[in-house]
């Protein structure tokens, strides 16, 4: 996960209970169509699962993430691959890439224009960008319940935190086009996602992905908030003994043109 927010990631919890993040990314690789001999960047590689899947095509893949914990686990799991700790808004390589792939990362990057600049600058001419991220309305139910619970306890500053950037199709594709990309495919879709723990699905999700909302709050109060949020969401997010997250995704493919579209 690449994020400018100071979050310490639990890489083992990520793989154990939230593997749906990278498992759903496997069909995004079908859009990427990696080829032997290509040079590909996995932006926000996490624990390296999808980096390894891409590498199985014969492409040369480098995975970057700004989480030391994620990169350490990726390097341990896939020692034959190259992983680096780098930010989505500041990365640079002397040799550019045929493709940049990014799954479930760019919604963590609030400085989205900087990330788009980096992606553009590190792609070869005619290189492709294939990404999926949270789209407009992503986990809106969970966020609303959590912020409400925080506000009710007077934790206004915590509730006001902005952790994610969930754009609409028009908003994000306009940013890509402004930088010079040619967007050739974009879709925004619902993907309700089953959570692994049938008892604590919502609570585990918040601990994994929304922990910054709870930073600095007493553990007793945190547990009260987590219990309340999960109970609040039970009518809408729990059925047949399983918890679900209300995911909405944005999937885009764009090309860096052979000549600059911004040229006069």
């Amino acid at each position: 996960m690449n994020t400018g927010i100071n979050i310490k990631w639990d890489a083992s919890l990520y793989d154990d209970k939230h593997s749906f993040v990278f498992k759903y990314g496997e069909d995004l690789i079908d859009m990427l169509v990696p080829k032997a001999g290509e040079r590909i960047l996995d932006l926000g590689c996490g624990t390296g699962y999808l980096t390894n899947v891409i590498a199985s095509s014969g492409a040369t893949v480098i995975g970057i993430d700004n989480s030391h914990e994620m990169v350490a686990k990726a390097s341990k799991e896939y020692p034959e691959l190259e992983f680096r700790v780098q930010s989505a808004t500041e990365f640079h390589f002397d040799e550019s890439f045929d493709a940049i792939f990014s799954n479930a990362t760019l919604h963590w990057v609030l400085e989205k224009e900087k990330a788009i600049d980096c992606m553009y600058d590190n792609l070869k001419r005619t290189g492709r960008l294939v990404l999926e991220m949270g789209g407009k309305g992503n986990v809106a139910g969970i966020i609303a319940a959590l912020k409400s619970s925080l506000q009710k306890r007077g934790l206004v500053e915590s509730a006001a935190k902005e952790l994610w950037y969930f754009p609409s199709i028009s908003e994000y594709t306009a940013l890509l086009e402004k930088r010079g990309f040619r967007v050739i495919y974009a879709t925004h879709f619902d993907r309700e996602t089953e959570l692994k723990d049938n008892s604590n699905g919502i609570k585990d999700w918040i601990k994994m992905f929304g922990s910054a909302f709870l930073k600095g709050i007493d553990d007793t109060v945190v547990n009260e908030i987590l219990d309340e949020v999960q109970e609040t969401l039970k009518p809408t997010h729990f059925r047949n003994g399983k918890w679900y997250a209300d995911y909405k995704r944005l999937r885009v493919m764009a090309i860096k043109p052979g000549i600059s579209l911004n040229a006069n």
Side-chain angles (χ1 to χ4, degrees):
M1 300 291 123
N2 261 276
T3 169
I5 301 159
N6 185 20
I7 295 175
K8 185 176 176 66
W9 289 95
D10 185 332
S12 295
L13 179 62
Y14 179 76
D15 276 355
D16 181 38
K17 290 193 174 181
H18 302 96
S19 60
F20 60 81
V21 175
F22 53 77
K23 291 290 188 182
Y24 274 121
E26 288 192 61
D27 69 336
L28 189 64
I29 296 174
D30 293 338
M31 277 184 62
L32 177 67
V33 195
K35 300 178 183 67
E38 285 192 314
R39 179 175 163 83
I40 298 175
L41 179 69
D42 183 2
L43 172 58
C45 61
T47 54
Y49 177 85
L50 293 176
T51 321
N52 185 57
V53 175
I54 296 169
S56 68
S57 69
T60 297
V61 191
I62 298 175
I64 64 170
D65 203 293
N66 77 342
S67 165
H68 290 268
E69 295 82 9
M70 292 291 194
V71 168
K73 193 167 194 301
S75 298
K76 183 179 178 181
E77 291 287 329
Y78 309 105
E80 71 282 4
L81 300 180
E82 181 179 351
F83 297 97
R84 300 186 189 181
V85 178
Q86 290 202 44
S87 165
T89 58
E90 296 177 346
F91 71 89
H92 172 74
F93 290 83
D94 291 334
E95 185 182 350
S96 54
F97 293 90
D98 296 291
I100 294 178
F101 173 89
S102 185
N103 178 62
T105 292
L106 291 167
H107 53 255
W108 289 99
V109 183
L110 300 184
E111 294 181 303
K112 55 268 190 190
E113 294 91 350
K114 285 188 177 181
I116 290 170
D117 284 346
C118 279
M119 292 188 291
Y120 190 90
D121 291 343
N122 284 275
L123 268 177
K124 295 177 181 179
R125 289 289 178 189
T126 72
R128 62 202 186 278
L129 169 65
V130 176
L131 69 90
E132 182 176 309
M133 63 191 290
K136 186 176 181 179
N138 190 55
V139 293
I142 296 174
I143 294 171
L146 178 56
K147 290 195 171 192
S148 174
S149 189
L150 288 165
Q151 289 165 347
K152 194 161 73 174
R153 289 167 173 80
L155 299 166
V156 179
E157 287 188 11
S158 296
K161 290 179 181 177
E162 294 296 332
L163 302 192
W164 303 295
Y165 168 61
F166 296 138
S168 65
I169 284 183
S170 60
E171 181 180 352
Y172 202 73
T173 55
L175 289 175
L176 291 171
E177 289 172 343
K178 183 180 178 182
R179 184 60 185 87
F181 279 104
R182 180 166 66 94
V183 177
I184 60 173
Y185 175 84
T187 183
H188 179 278
F189 58 98
D190 293 346
R191 188 173 65 212
E192 188 178 55
T193 301
E194 181 184 328
L195 303 177
K196 275 196 173 181
D197 192 315
N198 296 336
S199 299
N200 299 298
I202 296 295
K203 292 194 278 188
D204 282 345
W205 189 94
I206 294 170
K207 287 177 187 176
M208 183 74 233
F209 301 111
S211 61
F213 283 111
L214 307 172
K215 190 175 181 180
I217 302 174
D218 182 80
D219 286 347
T220 302
V221 178
V222 167
N223 289 330
E224 289 176 1
I225 291 169
L226 291 174
D227 286 340
E228 181 176 89
V229 171
Q230 183 160 282
E231 190 59 31
T232 298
L233 293 173
K234 197 165 188 177
T236 53
H237 290 63
F238 186 80
R239 64 179 182 276
N240 300 322
K242 296 181 183 296
W243 286 101
Y244 294 86
D246 50 325
Y247 276 76
K248 290 179 172 57
R249 312 308 278 176
L250 180 62
R251 187 172 279 196
V252 179
M253 185 170 183
I255 303 294
K256 180 175 179 175
I259 58 172
S260 173
L261 293 182
N262 294 326
N264 292 321

